[in-house]
Amino acid sequence: MKYILTNLVSLAALSGVQGHAVMQSPVPRGTGPKQEELCGKLVTAVLERDLAGPIENAMNAVDSSYKCNAYLCRGYQYEDNVDNVHAVKAGDVLTFHIDLVAGHHPGYANVSVVDLASNTVIGELVSWDNWPDSTSGPPRNDTDFKVTIPNTLSTACDEGGKCAIQWYWWSISNSQTYESCLDFYVE
């Protein structure tokens, strides 16, 4: 029985069953060689294994090679994503879809503009006090939503690598963090 249980747990880990939620559209930042260099092979491997999983799973793999902040865009680095930077204008409306793999962990969520150099929120675009909201939809307004690019970002986010739109979910019931980032600049 122990052998069967161990194999089932291993199979669940490999298949991504432990995943919870991730931005699916627009295509968010992803992993790459710069992330592996800064975050280390072990942390990067855990984050790659479950793209929708909590960041805390990767923190259990931290070793001496960890020199990044996995709580900023999951440790995914701008340098690995320069071909996926979105040019936007103030007033543009972006449509998002969050793939909710497992939503039985209530918490709160938001979509904010983050200054990447200081890891500070410089603009909140939308937030939910109760996420995922089991009473939403269809269509759901917590996994499918729109945000408007504010006029106030034109100076702070005028070139790629300065800002990202970050979808963030904190699951209160199990103390887990989920994030996805979209690199952009305001034309």
Side-chain angles (χ1 to χ4, degrees), residues 1-79:
M1 183 66 173
K2 181 180 175 188
Y3 174 78
I4 293 170
L5 182 58
T6 301
N7 284 336
L8 286 174
V9 170
S10 297
L11 183 60
L14 288 174
S15 67
V17 171
Q18 77 263 27
H20 296 293
V22 64
M23 182 191 304
Q24 194 171 48
S25 175
V27 175
R29 246 189 212 192
T31 187
K34 190 68 173 176
Q35 180 194 15
E36 187 172 303
E37 174 190 325
L38 294 175
C39 297
K41 288 183 179 190
L42 293 174
V43 167
T44 301
V46 172
L47 291 170
E48 286 177 345
R49 183 176 62 230
D50 185 5
L51 300 178
I55 295 169
E56 286 75 13
N57 288 352
M59 295 297 87
N60 294 328
V62 166
D63 62 15
S64 62
S65 63
Y66 179 77
K67 295 170 183 57
C68 77
N69 180 0
Y71 289 96
L72 175 60
C73 300
R74 287 179 61 88
Y76 298 159
Q77 301 298 308
Y78 174 78
E79 293 84 352

Side-chain angles (χ1 to χ4, degrees), residues 1-168:
M1 183 66 173
K2 181 180 175 188
Y3 174 78
I4 293 170
L5 182 58
T6 301
N7 284 336
L8 286 174
V9 170
S10 297
L11 183 60
L14 288 174
S15 67
V17 171
Q18 77 263 27
H20 296 293
V22 64
M23 182 191 304
Q24 194 171 48
S25 175
V27 175
R29 246 189 212 192
T31 187
K34 190 68 173 176
Q35 180 194 15
E36 187 172 303
E37 174 190 325
L38 294 175
C39 297
K41 288 183 179 190
L42 293 174
V43 167
T44 301
V46 172
L47 291 170
E48 286 177 345
R49 183 176 62 230
D50 185 5
L51 300 178
I55 295 169
E56 286 75 13
N57 288 352
M59 295 297 87
N60 294 328
V62 166
D63 62 15
S64 62
S65 63
Y66 179 77
K67 295 170 183 57
C68 77
N69 180 0
Y71 289 96
L72 175 60
C73 300
R74 287 179 61 88
Y76 298 159
Q77 301 298 308
Y78 174 78
E79 293 84 352
D80 293 326
N81 292 276
V82 294
D83 293 335
N84 191 27
V85 179
H86 297 261
V88 299
K89 294 181 179 155
D92 280 357
V93 176
L94 302 178
T95 301
F96 287 81
H97 172 70
I98 304 302
D99 184 15
L100 181 58
V101 178
H104 56 278
H105 304 301
Y108 60 87
N110 64 56
V111 178
S112 301
V113 176
V114 177
D115 177 304
L116 294 171
S118 63
N119 189 17
T120 57
V121 172
I122 59 172
E124 187 171 290
L125 303 175
V126 64
S127 65
W128 299 268
D129 292 332
N130 181 26
W131 201 96
D133 181 359
S134 61
T135 63
S136 276
R140 293 185 65 134
N141 66 1
D142 60 345
T143 57
D144 293 291
F145 54 88
K146 297 177 187 294
V147 300
T148 302
I149 302 298
N151 295 330
T152 57
L153 299 176
S154 59
T155 303
C157 304
D158 61 351
E159 61 184 66
K162 291 175 97 175
C163 299
I165 295 173
Q166 179 175 267
W167 170 79
Y168 172 90

